[in-house]
Amino acid sequence: MSSLEQWKQFTQARIGLNRSGGSISTKEMLKFRLDHAKAKDAVLLEPNWELIQEQTNELTQKNGIQNLFLKSKVSSKQEYLLRPDLGRRLFEDSKLNLEPFSDRYDLSIVCIDGLSAKAIDENLVPFLELLFAEIQKTKLSLAPLVFAKWGRVALGDEIAEILHAKICIVIIGERPGLSAADSLGIYLTYEPKLGKTDESRNCISNVRPLGLPLPLAVKKTMYLINECLAQKKSGVLLKDQMPSENNYLSQEKLILGNADN
């Protein structure tokens, strides 16, 4: 096995594609088309929200909170893709559904479909289970767990502002690429409110089993929560100085070392 073939075992990126003359091989072309179809499906399909809510009922009950299903101002999938601005604002009925829960909380967790139904269906519940297990070890107060349809990241600001939460954590399906259609993005914003922009957020990207592993993403999330509360800021003002995960890095070095043999 060539050195390049060994490296290809450890990445989904398109490297060392086989060619025939000036064209890539039929096998590689068919794989490209399959991955392109998966990416389109991730964007155009809808998560199974009903199943997700059922699967998280036990989590919310353990934490003494409810889960709520809300919508943005978007009225269709096509409009969602064409009008990002509408995906950043809550539907009026959803605002009314939130108001009875307006209080003071440390955390508001908002789960949004975004641009990957596959990421939400496959990785949201396992991530939440790990995250809630860590939160239970703290004294942090939790707002109701929110699921939001046809939303953008900034939708979490309006939700968390109504709930009066110190930190908003948005878990959203990331825009799929041609090598990964199941990535979650985690966005943390301190003192969320309407009008906040992206430089006010910390982002953890490519959260999936074959990207940034879920347990490590949860550790990073908890680290950022603690830093946000301690320093009272987020985004570009909050420097991520989390110590390296030695075990994870050792595994990575082991993989790369094997690839060189």
Side-chain angles (χ1 to χ4, degrees):
M1 184 182 293
S2 69
S3 176
L4 187 56
E5 289 298 319
Q6 289 179 317
W7 277 98
K8 288 169 70 174
Q9 296 178 75
F10 307 112
T11 178
Q12 292 180 290
R14 286 182 164 75
I15 60 173
L17 300 183
N18 295 322
R19 290 182 173 275
S20 178
S23 303
I24 63 174
S25 68
T26 301
K27 179 181 178 181
E28 299 291 357
M29 176 57 74
L30 291 175
K31 186 176 184 304
F32 176 88
R33 290 179 176 176
L34 175 61
D35 288 341
H36 184 251
K38 288 180 178 178
K40 287 179 64 177
D41 284 347
V43 172
L44 297 176
L45 296 178
E46 301 289 345
N48 189 341
W49 286 119
E50 184 176 351
L51 177 60
I52 289 169
Q53 284 188 280
E54 289 178 5
Q55 292 173 333
T56 54
N57 277 336
E58 186 176 349
L59 281 178
T60 53
Q61 288 172 6
K62 280 183 180 179
N63 286 270
I65 61 174
Q66 298 190 39
N67 60 38
L68 306 174
F69 186 75
L70 308 178
K71 289 177 59 178
S72 71
K73 287 189 173 183
V74 172
S75 59
S76 69
K77 190 71 174 189
Q78 183 179 18
E79 186 176 57
Y80 172 73
L81 297 173
L82 295 174
R83 293 288 304 275
D85 57 315
L86 295 180
R88 300 185 185 107
R89 296 300 306 273
L90 270 177
F91 185 58
E92 292 303 320
D93 285 356
S94 289
K95 288 183 186 180
L96 296 176
N97 292 338
L98 266 185
E99 286 177 359
F101 301 96
S102 179
D103 201 341
R104 297 286 175 182
Y105 305 98
D106 293 317
L107 302 178
S108 171
I109 301 175
V110 181
C111 309
I112 302 175
D113 45 10
L115 291 168
S116 178
K118 183 178 177 67
I120 297 298
D121 282 336
E122 296 185 3
N123 296 321
L124 176 60
V125 173
F127 179 83
L128 287 174
E129 289 173 344
L130 293 172
L131 180 61
F132 271 72
E134 292 301 313
I135 292 174
Q136 285 174 352
K137 300 175 185 178
T138 72
K139 296 181 179 180
L140 297 171
S141 58
L142 277 172
L145 177 63
V146 172
F147 301 103
K149 182 177 181 178
W150 293 332
R152 303 284 176 165
V153 173
L155 185 68
D157 296 334
E158 185 172 11
I159 292 170
E161 184 178 19
I162 292 172
L163 294 171
H164 296 104
K166 293 180 183 177
I167 296 175
C168 179
I169 302 172
V170 169
I171 307 169
I172 192 168
E174 288 189 321
R175 179 183 292 106
L178 289 174
S179 60
D182 60 343
S183 295
L184 291 174
I186 318 297
Y187 293 82
L188 290 90
T189 309
Y190 183 73
E191 292 187 340
K193 60 183 179 180
L194 278 174
K196 286 272 187 173
T197 46
D198 288 343
E199 84 282 352
S200 302
R201 317 184 199 286
N202 291 86
C203 175
I204 307 169
S205 188
N206 195 31
V207 177
R208 61 193 181 96
L210 293 178
L212 181 66
L214 272 61
L216 187 58
V218 168
K219 288 183 180 180
K220 176 72 75 175
T221 302
M222 294 304 299
Y223 164 81
L224 289 172
I225 289 171
N226 291 330
E227 290 300 304
C228 283
L229 292 173
Q231 300 186 38
K232 295 180 169 41
K233 57 189 176 183
S234 62
V236 297
L237 298 177
L238 178 64
K239 303 304 179 186
D240 182 355
Q241 297 178 321
M242 179 179 174
S244 299
E245 292 293 327
N246 294 328
N247 291 336
Y248 179 74
L249 292 176
S250 296
Q251 291 173 8
E252 186 178 36
K253 288 177 182 177
L254 178 62
I255 290 173
L256 297 180
N258 289 340
D260 290 335
N261 293 333

